[in-house]
């Protein structure tokens, strides 16, 4: 909440200190903070505007995709995660999230392949291991798991 208050003060001052070269960061950070507070509907326009100013912000695209996922807007999430991977093709967190979005959008084979690829590249990430386990359970039982697939917000880990 402190971050929101700080960012709203900056907006109240008409973005003093921000220009064309860094204004995108203000909007992306504000949207990210709103997303972290679970204010998903409010986060989308902030993230989207910041990313219109500068789309080459993988953590912002990941946050936008994550936000769409929370609102069950899977096809929009797919687009955001795909754009994130275009800028950072080796980002396993976005790769996992894109895989989960594919699974929830009904693209089971593509989703399972992406989640598995993320796990193979980084088997130490608990979310990746959980998702691979859930995919295995789906394959064995031919049923959707009771647990939710895990998404990753790499930005909160400092990577």
């Amino acid at each position: 909440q402190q971050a929101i208050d700080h960012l709203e003060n900056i907006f109240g001052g008409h973005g003093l200190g921000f220009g064309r070269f860094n204004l995108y960061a203000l909007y992306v950070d504000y949207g990210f903070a709103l997303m972290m507070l679970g204010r998903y509907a409010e986060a989308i326009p902030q993230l989207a505007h910041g990313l219109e100013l500068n789309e080459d912000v993988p953590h912002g695209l990941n946050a936008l995709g994550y936000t769409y996922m929370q609102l069950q807007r899977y096809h929009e999430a797919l687009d955001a995660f795909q754009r994130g991977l275009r800028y950072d093709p080796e980002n396993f967190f976005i790769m996992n999230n894109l895989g989960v979005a594919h699974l929830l959008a009904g693209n089971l084979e593509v989703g399972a392949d992406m989640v598995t690829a993320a796990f193979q590249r980084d088997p130490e990430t608990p979310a990746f291991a959980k998702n691979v386990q859930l995919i295995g359970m789906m394959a064995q039982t031919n049923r959707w798991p009771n647990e939710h697939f895990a998404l990753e917000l790499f930005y909160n880990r400092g990577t």
Side-chain angles (χ1 to χ4, degrees):
Q1 185 60 47
Q2 283 181 320
I4 294 290
D5 294 341
H6 181 69
L7 290 164
E8 288 176 348
N9 283 337
I10 293 170
F11 278 115
H14 307 288
L16 293 176
F18 287 87
R20 293 183 56 81
F21 69 97
N22 66 349
L23 187 59
Y24 77 92
L26 179 62
Y27 284 96
V28 170
D29 287 352
Y30 186 47
F32 193 91
L34 289 167
M35 180 225 29
M36 292 299 290
L37 290 174
R39 294 166 56 181
Y40 305 118
E42 295 174 74
I44 289 173
Q46 303 302 325
L47 288 163
H49 183 67
L51 293 165
E52 285 172 14
L53 297 172
N54 179 10
E55 186 177 78
D56 187 2
V57 186
H59 79 271
L61 289 162
N62 191 48
L64 181 61
Y66 180 94
T67 301
Y68 282 133
M69 293 289 287
Q70 300 311 307
L71 298 173
Q72 298 180 347
R73 293 167 61 178
Y74 304 127
H75 293 284
E76 290 160 296
L78 285 168
D79 178 64
F81 293 138
Q82 287 167 340
R83 289 170 26 219
L85 273 184
R86 184 174 66 220
Y87 291 106
D88 190 359
E90 295 301 315
N91 189 309
F92 312 131
F93 299 98
I94 297 175
M95 185 182 298
N96 172 77
N97 293 352
L98 179 57
V100 171
H102 273 294
L103 288 167
L104 295 176
N107 308 321
L108 300 181
E109 189 173 329
V110 172
D113 288 347
M114 294 197 86
V115 166
T116 301
F119 173 73
Q120 288 171 341
R121 289 181 173 97
D122 185 4
E124 301 300 317
T125 299
F128 302 171
K130 175 185 177 181
N131 290 342
V132 167
Q133 181 183 26
L134 291 175
I135 290 167
M137 289 171 45
M138 286 175 64
Q140 288 177 346
T141 65
N142 206 24
R143 293 177 26 188
W144 200 259
N146 291 330
E147 291 184 64
H148 293 287
F149 286 95
L151 298 172
E152 271 291 335
L153 287 171
F154 68 92
Y155 192 67
N156 66 356
R157 292 179 186 224
T159 47

